[in-house]
Amino acid sequence: MAARGRHHVETFLEMMAVERGAAKNTLDSYRRDLDDFSGFLGARGLGIQAAASDDIRDYLADLAGRGFTASTQRRRLSAIRQFQKFLYAEGVRPTDPTGPVDGPRRGRPLPKTLSRAAVDDLLGAVAADCERPDLSPAARLRALRLQALIEIAYATGLRVSELIGLPASAARGDLPVVVVRGKGGKERMVPIGGRAREAMRRYQEAVRAAGKAGTGRWLFPSWSEEGHVTRQAFARDLKAAAARAGLPPSAISPHVLRHAFASHILENGADLRVLQELLGHADISTTQIYTHVLEERLKQLVATHHPLAG
């Protein structure tokens, strides 16, 4: 039985090399995966050519029990599928047992975010930059612009494209919200806190003092060319500010600030549906990448308030 299985594996690998041009590393990987599966089946008194659907499911469970990652389990299942389809096509067996078998789901990676302490360090660093006595008027204007960008990004969770594309009218008046044009041209109102509004006011005062007010339609214009500040320029300045704050620049981007906004308001009790509206997600499923925050909060609530906790 084992000899027959080895023969079928070698025939399959020969087909992969000749007909599909598989590289040696690919063939070696298939061989190792199929040999491991064959060893599992051999302990059950089965040949690899006789595996049933339940045998394959049990093998995946065995891999999980041995500590193999979901991605490795999916790769092993892929090799088994290819092999069993080959046996079916060659008439070695009447059915393909892998059809009903589901592999482990591909986990959606959690979004990169920042702790509240890291955000405080970042905001403190950009605020200190604005107060440096050695800054020229132009450098101070750039520092105030960066401070306003970061404060608004963290206060609102805007997409970077929405943030840099804010119209000059967003700074007018003392309204506690800004009107944002998001994806698909849809408008939504997003609350903006007093701290971000104050950073915006100070930046606008510096713009007027520099004689640049009323020269364009953008709240954050580019001063070297027409249009607004670019996302690349904002990302570059943000990473430089992170370095000055003692934070790893590679861990920070405009999108990470959006994730920090979402995570922190959920930690403080916001509803997922409210967060969906604030972020401008068309579908709640997009917002559900943050459910790990809700799950952690629920665990803490139970641990704190359940009479039998602990």
Side-chain angles (χ1 to χ4, degrees), residues 41-122:
L41 293 172
R44 296 186 166 196
L46 295 172
I48 193 170
Q49 73 284 352
S53 299
D54 284 344
D55 296 317
I56 299 171
R57 293 190 187 97
D58 291 345
Y59 175 65
L60 294 176
D62 179 71
L63 290 177
R66 285 190 270 161
F68 286 96
T69 63
S71 61
T72 299
Q73 295 173 49
R74 287 192 295 270
R75 193 199 72 221
R76 294 276 178 97
L77 178 58
S78 176
I80 294 168
R81 284 193 198 280
Q82 297 270 16
F83 177 64
Q84 296 294 341
K85 288 180 185 299
F86 166 76
L87 295 182
Y88 174 67
E90 293 294 308
V92 174
R93 57 180 310 161
T95 59
D96 173 10
T98 65
V101 179
D102 294 323
R105 292 186 177 182
R106 189 181 301 275
R108 190 169 187 175
L110 296 179
K112 289 171 62 177
T113 186
L114 295 172
S115 68
R116 278 182 263 188
V119 173
D120 286 342
D121 289 343
L122 177 64

Side-chain angles (χ1 to χ4, degrees), residues 119-120 122-132 135 139-155 163 192 194-204 206 219-220 223 234 237-238 241 244 257:
V119 173
D120 286 342
L122 177 64
L123 296 178
V126 295
D129 286 341
C130 296
E131 302 305 321
R132 284 172 46 194
L135 290 182
R140 185 170 183 272
L141 181 57
R142 287 195 297 270
L144 287 168
R145 182 179 72 177
L146 179 60
Q147 182 186 30
L149 281 164
I150 295 175
E151 289 279 4
I152 296 170
Y154 179 60
L163 175 64
I192 181 169
R195 179 167 167 164
R197 178 68 67 178
E198 174 63 14
M200 189 190 302
R201 184 191 65 76
R202 293 181 65 211
Y203 161 67
Q204 283 292 295
L219 178 59
F220 298 109
W223 296 313
F234 176 35
D237 293 346
L238 175 59
R244 294 193 295 275
L257 286 178

Side-chain angles (χ1 to χ4, degrees), residues 19-49:
E19 296 185 13
R20 302 190 186 180
K24 181 179 184 301
N25 287 344
T26 301
L27 297 174
D28 289 344
S29 178
Y30 273 120
R31 188 188 302 277
R32 286 192 300 270
D33 291 347
L34 294 174
D35 282 350
D36 189 72
F37 182 46
S38 182
F40 172 83
L41 293 172
R44 296 186 166 196
L46 295 172
I48 193 170
Q49 73 284 352

Side-chain angles (χ1 to χ4, degrees), residues 23 28 42 74 77 79 110 142 160 164 172 183 189 200 208 215 234 239 259 270 306 308:
D28 289 344
R74 287 192 295 270
L77 178 58
L110 296 179
R142 287 195 297 270
V160 63
I164 61 177
R172 295 173 191 154
K183 287 186 176 180
M189 288 193 301
M200 189 190 302
R208 286 191 291 271
T215 59
F234 176 35
K239 288 182 181 295
H259 290 319
H306 195 281
L308 299 182

Side-chain angles (χ1 to χ4, degrees), residues 111-114 116 154 256-270 275 279 289-290 292-294 297:
K112 289 171 62 177
T113 186
L114 295 172
R116 278 182 263 188
Y154 179 60
V256 169
L257 286 178
R258 177 171 161 88
H259 290 319
F261 160 82
S263 297
H264 296 169
I265 68 167
L266 282 178
E267 288 172 2
N268 286 334
L275 179 60
L279 294 178
I289 60 172
Y290 299 105
H292 67 287
V293 178
L294 291 177
R297 197 176 80 211

